[in-house]
Amino acid sequence: MTDNKELYAFGNLRHYLNSKGIHVREPYAPIDPNNKEYYKGGKHLTFGKDGIYLELPDGSKQKVFLYRPSYFKELPPFHIFACPSVKDNIRLIGSAFMCGNTDQLPGISLKDKKNVLLSHLPICGYCAEKARLSKRYNTNSYVKLIKTGRSINDVEIDDTLATHTKDWMRVRENYLKKIQYKCERCGRTISDEYDQNQYLVVMHLDHNPENNDFGNLKCYCLDCLSIIRQRSVWVNGANKQMLTKYRNKYLL
């Protein structure tokens, strides 16, 4: 018989219920990204199929992501799996990479040489492809997800929580009509309705998917987007195939 006094602590209660076959999720708790010595070199981190976990001193685990705090112009991506960028740099966790699970994250703007607070970091292309998520998925969406105790595997491709507000598709279509389905960088018009969905990307200038004011939106074709965002996400995988198809159809 278990002494009831031993169950007063939530951790003990959780372990007891789990042992009886009743699954209890870990409650969400924010972690301090600046506590780098604790997770340096990947210490206390577990890389699972549904995300990255940090084991806390009390034995509980929190789902976290990794990101580079230093950036120049483009916001750095965040990682939710042991993707190549993370696997090849495990020793840099705690220095070049930091651990987080909150909306506001410490960072350094190399352009201004200032300490800043980062939010709405975009997802790593590899992690997005593995999780079947939109490339516009961001840390704000991920934090909302883990606060509810849900797994990345619970998110469907068209889950509005994963990308934008519920009326985003209507806002996007109205914006494209306003600019006559043109890329606002090169001026190329995409008249085919299917291609408009595939090859025109409407972005939020302030990286906040909840700010759908037209003054905060900008539309780019895939070719211009690949120039603006010169990242490894265009080198292989689905992004490269889509970009190649677009260039073959519209640029050649």
Side-chain angles (χ1 to χ4, degrees), residues 231-245:
R231 292 181 182 156
S232 58
V233 296
W234 302 105
V235 175
N236 49 43
N239 285 338
K240 180 182 179 181
Q241 294 175 16
M242 188 72 72
L243 179 59
T244 300
K245 284 170 61 178

Side-chain angles (χ1 to χ4, degrees), residues 66 75-86 97 121-138 225 229-240:
L66 295 171
L75 288 173
F78 75 103
H79 308 271
I80 58 176
F81 297 116
C83 64
S85 295
V86 172
F97 283 97
L121 300 184
I123 193 171
C124 149
Y126 181 96
C127 291
E129 189 172 347
K130 184 176 178 181
R132 302 181 300 117
L133 290 173
S134 163
K135 306 301 183 296
R136 295 183 293 274
Y137 192 85
N138 59 45
L225 186 61
R229 293 190 168 181
Q230 295 178 344
R231 292 181 182 156
S232 58
V233 296
W234 302 105
V235 175
N236 49 43
N239 285 338
K240 180 182 179 181

Side-chain angles (χ1 to χ4, degrees), residues 194-246:
Y194 175 79
D195 287 354
Q196 290 165 0
N197 289 329
Q198 294 286 98
Y199 302 139
L200 289 177
V201 179
V202 179
M203 303 175 61
H204 293 80
L205 296 178
D206 65 355
H207 304 284
N208 179 4
E210 297 180 359
N211 181 4
N212 290 329
D213 184 89
F214 278 10
N216 187 47
L217 303 180
K218 201 79 169 179
C219 177
Y220 298 105
C221 68
L222 287 191
D223 185 59
C224 287
L225 186 61
S226 70
I227 295 171
I228 294 169
R229 293 190 168 181
Q230 295 178 344
R231 292 181 182 156
S232 58
V233 296
W234 302 105
V235 175
N236 49 43
N239 285 338
K240 180 182 179 181
Q241 294 175 16
M242 188 72 72
L243 179 59
T244 300
K245 284 170 61 178
Y246 172 73

Side-chain angles (χ1 to χ4, degrees), residues 16-76:
Y16 174 74
L17 292 175
N18 286 342
S19 71
K20 298 298 182 183
I22 305 172
H23 180 63
V24 180
R25 294 181 185 272
E26 299 277 3
Y28 169 80
I31 67 162
D32 180 7
N34 290 308
N35 190 14
K36 296 183 282 188
E37 193 60 37
Y38 184 73
Y39 56 80
K40 186 176 182 180
K43 290 185 297 184
H44 307 294
L45 287 176
T46 302
F47 298 92
K49 290 183 179 180
D50 66 334
I52 304 173
Y53 291 87
L54 175 67
E55 182 175 349
L56 302 182
D58 64 0
S60 65
K61 290 185 177 181
Q62 288 295 317
K63 188 169 283 187
V64 297
F65 51 81
L66 295 171
Y67 72 101
R68 287 182 178 271
S70 302
Y71 73 103
F72 187 64
K73 289 183 178 179
E74 294 288 333
L75 288 173

